[in-house]
Amino acid sequence: MRYHLTRFAVATRFTLVEHGRNRFALVLVALFVPLWTFLAFTVLPETPAPMRLDATGEALSPPGNEVTAISGALNAVTLITGFMMFAATYSGSRFDRRLAMAGYPRAHLVLAKVTALALVSAVVAAYATAIACLTWTPRQPLLLAAALFCAALTYGALGVGFGSVLRREVEGMFAIVMTSIIDLVLQNPIMSSGADNPVMRFLPSYGAMQAGTAAGFSNSPVSGCLVIQLSWFAGAALIALVGFRRSTGTALPGAAQIPGPGPGSGKAVLPAPGRALAPSAAVPDTEAH
């Protein structure tokens, strides 16, 4: 058990260090979230936006700027977590492949990415919720935080999937941006007259948008919407897992194996990112001929 926990801890630490080196993403978290939320709340008019909340069947008329603030917060957290997970997966794919080929358990690498995704999503969602509460007062702040967290999880898993299968960085960035924009703009009643169309139920952040709207303007619990959003996360995570396994390849029978810890040792060793793995046995030139 200690062996597995050590492998998991080492992989998680490496993943978090990789996120910490992404200075641009940290700047986005610090500046983009409050800027987007503040602009949506102050620039747009407070004109009521009649809408029907599918999750509860209620007819609501919330101020348009507050509805857009929810949509903007969701857009910000999905873009940031998607970018962060895509960048970490794209830049670390070769190292992950070397680790897998060397015998480092894929399960530990996957669990490390999931743990990092959950931590990043929680921090970004809590920060976005705090910013929203500074500009206006949602009726259910905890539900709003849960909606933002679930949406961030979904797009973070999509970012891992894009980072595993796409070959160029610009392709992944474009995919994340366009997916988030189409997803959330169509559900905003201020920007789309078809926000209550049944087709909206098939969009990736439908559950989060419904839960976020209920959190802002209703006292009704909408736990079912969070379940829907977590189902999207599970589907995105499955796609990411398939992409990760494909990108890391299949371990070769003769590949070098990372030695397990000896008696009394609790350390797991990662090969240096810039160092090629040595073969398990060198074939003499005379035998090769």
Side-chain angles (χ1 to χ4, degrees):
M1 177 62 69
R2 185 179 179 184
Y3 167 78
H4 293 290
L5 289 177
T6 303
R7 288 290 178 93
F8 167 71
V10 171
T12 302
R13 178 170 59 85
F14 175 79
T15 305
L16 291 176
V17 168
E18 186 71 19
H19 284 302
R21 291 175 179 172
N22 192 345
R23 304 287 180 84
F24 181 68
L26 298 180
V27 172
L28 283 179
V29 173
L31 300 180
F32 181 63
V33 173
L35 179 63
W36 192 187
T37 304
F38 178 75
L39 288 177
F41 182 79
T42 57
V43 174
L44 294 177
E46 300 181 5
T47 306
M51 59 178 296
R52 180 180 179 275
L53 185 62
D54 290 341
T56 62
E58 298 177 73
L60 303 176
S61 295
N65 59 342
E66 295 181 4
V67 174
T68 306
I70 293 177
S71 177
L74 284 168
N75 183 232
V77 299
T78 53
L79 285 176
I80 290 173
T81 53
F83 282 155
M84 292 185 68
M85 297 307 297
F86 170 79
T89 304
Y90 184 83
S91 61
S93 59
R94 293 182 180 179
F95 187 43
D96 288 337
R97 179 178 176 83
R98 291 203 297 269
L99 287 176
M101 297 289 284
Y104 205 94
R106 282 190 179 88
H108 297 76
L109 297 175
V110 171
L111 288 176
K113 292 185 182 298
V114 173
T115 302
L117 170 59
L119 291 175
V120 170
S121 300
V123 171
V124 176
Y127 182 61
T129 303
I131 295 298
C133 291
L134 290 176
T135 54
W136 60 285
T137 306
R139 295 188 180 183
Q140 303 181 70
L142 293 180
L143 179 59
L144 177 60
L148 294 172
F149 174 72
C150 293
L153 283 178
T154 302
Y155 273 79
L158 288 176
V160 174
F162 290 147
S164 299
V165 300
L166 297 179
R167 293 292 178 263
R168 293 188 296 177
E169 192 170 4
V170 66
E171 295 175 356
M173 298 299 183
F174 182 81
I176 293 171
V177 170
M178 293 308 298
T179 302
S180 179
I181 289 177
I182 294 173
D183 182 12
L184 291 163
V185 167
L186 290 178
Q187 296 187 70
N188 188 340
I190 302 298
M191 303 180 181
S192 173
S193 59
D196 57 351
N197 193 297
V199 177
M200 300 299 108
R201 299 179 182 181
F202 300 100
L203 294 177
S205 64
Y206 170 79
M209 187 65 181
Q210 289 291 306
T213 305
F217 314 109
S218 173
N219 294 319
S220 302
V222 287
S223 56
C225 294
L226 298 180
V227 173
I228 293 174
Q229 192 60 50
L230 289 176
S231 299
W232 268 100
F233 164 66
L238 179 60
I239 295 174
L241 179 61
V242 173
F244 177 77
R245 183 168 181 81
R246 177 186 174 186
S247 67
T248 54
T250 303
L252 300 176
Q257 300 293 315
I258 296 178
S265 172
K267 295 183 178 180
V269 180
L270 290 176
R275 184 181 304 169
L277 295 175
S280 57
V283 180
D285 291 340
T286 56
E287 293 182 12
H289 292 290

